[in-house]
Amino acid sequence: MQVETKNSSPPIVTTLLAIFIVIFSIIGYILPDVHVKFAMIPGSTLSGGFYFWNVLTGGYYEPNILGAILSSFGLLVGGFVLERAWGSMAFLRFIVIVNAVSCLLTFFLVMGCFMITHDQSFLLAHVAGFKGVIGALTIAVKQLYLDSPKRIIIHPKFLFTLSTQHLPGAYLLTSFIEECIIERNSEEFPLTICGLWVGWVYLRFYQKLNNSLPPGDNRENFSFHNQFATPLNYIFRPFGKITFVIAKKLGLFPLSSPAYSKLYTADKKNSALSNIVPIGYKGQDSEIAKKRRERGYQLLELRLASLQNQEQNISLSLDDDSNTDQTKVV
């Protein structure tokens, strides 16, 4: 994918949204009572004040000013590149959709945990922050430089750089350390996971930047598990497959997307092979499969070479026959 700049003007949407996040956080700091109205708290969403809008506002509201500054900085870094490459309207659409869907998924996830465990703490959970959208921006930046990754200088003095292909994994790791270990506020971590997944789903199946091309991105190295480091692939590979099957059953993916057609065909092929291949074969070592493929390629090359020799022999015999006939005529 070639990185093209559609708009050379300053990123207006990115700048205004970053200012809005900081002002939103300052209002919550000055007026603590509005925290209940801005943050997503399932107990206040469904009962009490019935603040149903906080399912959407929670994604834009940072409870502390430091978090607002960090989120605004991440938005400026990612938005400066993406808004110029996509255009302001496409970038704004991406932000709004990712924030709304990730917040709704997080809300239903928290409510599902409450219904299963009947633990009142889930109803009192304060879920807020721009973390989900920042995670989606890391996916988008990686997609933009997927074929030619760039290196980002984090600290020039210590020469600490980070490749764009490692952005989602690095962000997921830092979010886990910050929210689950340092702050011990694990109730916000699902918002980060949902933001990463929703951002990938939108870019994989729905994004349409060129009217002459179908929506989505069907490149193999843009699959969900490839967004993270190799050790994490084994964790996220089944997660991506399970969520794809569920969403496919619900009809959430556009049929016109080439990524959908590719995954659907692969899913059908894998299900057919699972009925044919013996169970013991599934556990065979990958080296054995590799050797069998190499042996198959060698046999195929030998077969093609023999066919070419046969064709040459036939052509030579035909030439000899024609020369003999000409001699008889003369």
Side-chain angles (χ1 to χ4, degrees):
M1 177 182 288
Q2 298 292 329
V3 180
E4 299 179 357
T5 302
K6 288 189 174 183
N7 190 359
S8 60
S9 61
I12 302 298
V13 173
T14 301
T15 305
L16 293 178
L17 189 56
I19 296 173
F20 173 76
I21 291 173
V22 174
I23 294 176
F24 212 21
S25 179
I26 293 174
I27 293 175
Y29 179 78
I30 297 174
L31 304 173
D33 293 338
V34 303
H35 176 79
V36 181
K37 299 179 181 179
F38 289 163
M40 185 175 66
I41 306 173
S44 63
T45 303
L46 299 177
S47 61
F50 193 60
Y51 305 133
F52 59 89
W53 59 83
N54 63 23
V55 176
L56 301 178
T57 59
Y60 299 105
Y61 172 65
E62 286 286 352
N64 58 78
I65 298 179
L66 179 60
I69 294 174
L70 293 176
S71 295
S72 299
F73 176 75
L75 174 63
L76 289 172
V77 172
F80 186 83
V81 177
L82 295 173
E83 186 175 350
R84 289 189 170 186
W86 294 352
S88 297
M89 290 305 299
F91 180 73
L92 179 62
R93 182 169 58 248
F94 176 75
I95 295 293
V96 172
I97 292 176
V98 168
N99 177 72
V101 178
S102 59
C103 286
L104 285 173
L105 286 178
T106 306
F107 174 78
F108 288 121
L109 181 62
V110 173
M111 290 303 301
C113 293
F114 166 71
M115 293 179 181
I116 294 173
T117 62
H118 299 285
D119 188 353
Q120 296 290 334
S121 62
F122 287 107
L123 293 179
L124 302 177
H126 291 223
V127 182
F130 206 62
K131 304 173 182 63
V133 177
I134 297 296
L137 291 179
T138 62
I139 298 283
V141 171
K142 177 176 179 176
Q143 182 206 31
L144 199 64
Y145 299 106
L146 191 62
D147 297 327
S148 56
K150 306 295 182 182
R151 301 199 70 84
I152 302 173
I153 299 177
I154 306 297
H155 200 298
K157 183 178 179 180
F158 299 101
L159 298 177
F160 180 67
T161 61
L162 179 67
S163 175
T164 52
Q165 64 180 345
H166 298 141
L167 276 178
Y171 179 74
L172 180 64
L173 179 61
T174 54
S175 298
F176 176 77
I177 295 174
E178 176 196 357
E179 298 168 13
C180 300
I181 298 177
I182 298 178
E183 297 182 356
R184 296 184 180 276
N185 187 18
S186 58
E187 57 196 19
E188 293 185 358
F189 190 64
L191 183 61
T192 303
I193 297 292
C194 291
L196 286 165
W197 186 79
V198 172
W200 172 79
V201 167
Y202 179 81
L203 296 173
R204 180 74 160 175
F205 298 99
Y206 288 96
Q207 188 187 44
K208 190 176 180 65
L209 298 177
N210 192 334
N211 293 327
S212 62
L213 297 176
D217 187 343
N218 66 337
R219 288 177 290 181
E220 180 64 27
N221 53 349
F222 191 60
S223 56
F224 185 70
H225 64 272
N226 285 328
Q227 304 304 313
F228 309 98
T230 303
L232 296 177
N233 285 355
Y234 301 100
I235 300 175
F236 288 100
R237 187 189 298 270
F239 176 78
K241 289 183 178 180
I242 292 172
T243 51
F244 169 75
V245 171
I246 294 174
K248 183 183 70 175
K249 296 294 184 182
L250 296 176
L252 299 180
F253 293 148
L255 299 179
S256 59
S257 172
Y260 175 85
S261 302
K262 183 176 180 179
L263 286 176
Y264 181 76
T265 304
D267 184 57
K268 294 283 284 184
K269 187 182 296 183
N270 291 334
S271 62
L273 288 174
S274 64
N275 295 327
I276 298 173
V277 179
I279 297 176
Y281 180 78
K282 296 179 182 179
Q284 294 294 327
D285 189 70
S286 59
E287 292 295 329
I288 298 176
K290 183 178 179 181
K291 291 179 180 179
R292 290 179 177 177
R293 285 195 298 269
E294 293 176 353
R295 178 60 178 168
Y297 292 148
Q298 292 176 358
L299 293 175
L300 181 61
E301 291 177 354
L302 292 174
R303 179 61 177 168
L304 291 175
S306 63
L307 289 175
Q308 290 177 356
N309 292 331
Q310 291 178 4
E311 291 178 355
Q312 291 177 357
N313 293 333
I314 292 172
S315 62
L316 289 175
S317 63
L318 290 176
D319 292 338
D320 294 339
D321 293 340
S322 62
N323 292 332
T324 304
D325 295 338
Q326 289 178 1
T327 303
K328 290 180 179 180
V329 171
V330 173

